[in-house]
Amino acid sequence: QEEANLAARTRDDLRCPVVVIMGHVDTGKTKLLDKIRKTNVQEGEAGGITQQIGATYFEKKTLLAQTARLNETEKFDLTLPGMLVIDTPGHESFTNLRSRGSSLCDVAILVVDLMHGLEQQTIESLHMLRNRGTPFVVALNKVDRCYDWKTCKDSPIRDALKVQPEGTMQEFRSRASDAKLQLQEQGVNSNIYWEMGEDDWENSDFVPLVPTSAITGEGVQDILLLLCQISQRKLWRRLMWCANLQCTVLEVKAIDGLGMTVDLLVVNGYLREGDKAVFCTLDGPIVTEIRGLLTPPPSREMRIKSEYIHHKEIKGALGVKVIGNGLEKVMAGTPVLVVGPDDEVEDIKAEVMSDLTKLQEKLSTD
Ligand code: GDP
């Protein structure tokens, strides 16, 4: 089995990258995701979201469809099975995310409002990403707010820039260059991504900038394709599919009709209905059977009560809602393990709790 696992681990067998979307409030994080999902969470489709962390799974076919026009020229061979995007809604404090989603994420989108430049939470996110060594791209969002912007709905950003009047281009260049300077003040070298030289791409500290509009859609193709390219070209070792369960609790939540549920981020490995899972609580580890594994349909947000799809088995990376007994005291941010046929329950319990201790130590040093 182990050998089969190893053999299966090749560059062509990558899991979905976990992408986290960060930035100051009102920079357009939700709107950007809405644009990719073709939903309208930002204007209240969510109807009173009370959960803090969202997860949306995009299938490979969605990524292909959403990058088709740009890829006519880029001709990138997309092999990823999909992409999982983690986000926190508008006014959630960013520290919540810090201790949960971000430590597991592979790559990030840092959203900056082109009209406002770097703001407080953007700078905090920036330093956190740097400290963790997480690669990221910066979306210079709201490019459509440059004076006299000519909308080119959903088009690649370079096509859109080509048709802008000179005055609009001047404003764009000046604002983009301000953002670049502000990033530099934070110790971050960056450039508009198509102006980056080969050396810049080789330099893992160099950050690509992508002008976007989450309203009219320019540049959204670019940011998606860029994330896929970074994942396949730079993160493939990290993304090699592996059957060992790597899983964290995002949130614990009572849901009408389902009882107490936990939302998990399964980065790697499988979870199956009937698995004996071990969770951390303040009172120590608990062992409980997974009674249900639910996900929203692809391209739908996990927080939003939709028609959940029931699964017998899921494979990482995926966000999944788990039903089971005794989940009330499970702690967000803690790891989850499953008792395998050859495992001793007590060993797994000890392992889960030691992971928790390590996690706490790590967080206190951040
Ligand atoms: P979040 O707090 O980062 O999730 O920001 P939202 O997605 O809620 O957006 C904040 C506000 O900015 C909303 O009124 C959006 O309609 C608006 N907005 C977001 N993206 C854009 C954009 O690209 N262009 C323009 N003109 N407005 C935007």
Side-chain angles (χ1 to χ4, degrees), residues 26-31 42 90 141-142 144-145 213-215:
D26 281 348
T27 49
K29 299 180 292 295
T30 314
K31 207 75 203 167
Q42 197 268 325
N141 194 37
K142 308 200 186 180
D144 63 291
R145 290 189 57 195
S213 168
I215 301 277

Side-chain angles (χ1 to χ4, degrees), residues 35-38 61-68 220-221 224:
K35 192 76 201 172
I36 310 172
R37 280 190 297 243
K38 302 188 183 356
K61 67 176 185 203
T62 306
L63 297 175
L64 285 172
Q66 298 255 24
T67 56
V220 173
Q221 307 218 0
L224 279 177

Side-chain angles (χ1 to χ4, degrees), residues 287-304:
V287 184
T288 189
E289 186 187 314
I290 293 182
R291 288 199 289 113
L293 286 167
L294 311 179
T295 67
S299 295
R300 289 282 149 175
E301 159 65 60
M302 183 145 90
R303 285 181 306 230
I304 294 167

Side-chain angles (χ1 to χ4, degrees), residues 132-363:
R132 289 199 189 275
T134 306
F136 61 99
V137 300
V138 168
L140 296 177
N141 194 37
K142 308 200 186 180
V143 67
D144 63 291
R145 290 189 57 195
C146 287
Y147 180 74
D148 209 17
W149 179 263
K150 305 278 178 269
T151 297
C152 304
K153 198 167 176 293
D154 300 335
S155 81
I157 187 65
R158 273 168 285 179
D159 294 352
L161 291 175
K162 271 184 210 145
V163 303
Q164 301 306 318
E166 185 45 37
T168 309
M169 278 309 286
Q170 266 173 14
E171 180 182 352
F172 163 71
R173 282 195 211 100
S174 139
R175 291 192 185 276
S177 128
D178 288 350
K180 225 161 89 173
L181 268 177
Q182 291 176 336
L183 284 164
Q184 196 135 43
E185 281 163 16
Q186 301 298 324
V188 175
N189 286 321
S190 66
N191 203 352
I192 298 289
Y193 85 93
W194 61 89
E195 291 175 358
M196 280 169 60
E198 225 161 273
D199 289 353
D200 301 336
W201 287 111
E202 292 297 314
N203 177 354
S204 57
D205 286 338
F206 205 94
V207 174
L209 308 177
V210 190
T212 56
S213 168
I215 301 277
T216 42
E218 295 91 343
V220 173
Q221 307 218 0
D222 300 67
I223 209 154
L224 279 177
L225 197 63
L226 196 56
L227 289 169
C228 294
Q229 288 169 331
I230 291 172
S231 299
Q232 284 179 219
R233 289 180 180 152
K234 298 199 169 188
L235 304 176
W236 61 272
R237 279 187 191 83
R238 180 184 165 102
L239 295 178
M240 280 195 300
W241 160 250
C242 144
N244 292 339
L245 182 66
Q246 189 191 351
C247 174
T248 297
V249 178
L250 291 178
E251 187 140 29
V252 183
K253 178 96 183 132
I255 301 278
D256 284 348
L258 296 178
M260 197 52 85
T261 68
V262 288
D263 286 353
L264 304 182
L265 172 59
V266 181
V267 175
N268 244 318
Y270 296 101
L271 265 188
R272 299 181 176 93
E273 205 181 81
D275 271 348
K276 248 198 274 174
V278 186
F279 291 92
C280 298
T281 77
L282 278 177
D283 307 334
I286 60 154
V287 184
T288 189
E289 186 187 314
I290 293 182
R291 288 199 289 113
L293 286 167
L294 311 179
T295 67
S299 295
R300 289 282 149 175
E301 159 65 60
M302 183 145 90
R303 285 181 306 230
I304 294 167
K305 214 173 154 195
S306 53
E307 283 140 45
Y308 289 116
I309 300 174
H310 292 249
H311 302 263
K312 288 275 173 236
E313 169 183 294
I314 61 107
K315 183 180 172 183
L318 202 62
V320 63
K321 194 178 275 301
V322 162
I323 310 175
N325 292 327
L327 297 174
E328 291 76 11
K329 290 188 175 169
V330 171
M331 284 186 287
T334 59
V336 182
L337 288 174
V338 160
V339 184
D342 305 326
D343 295 328
E344 293 292 338
V345 175
E346 290 310 314
D347 293 347
I348 303 295
K349 279 183 177 174
E351 199 179 328
V352 149
M353 292 310 278
S354 84
D355 279 358
L356 172 62
T357 317
K358 272 186 257 161
L359 183 85
Q360 281 167 337
E361 280 164 12
K362 191 155 169 260
L363 288 176

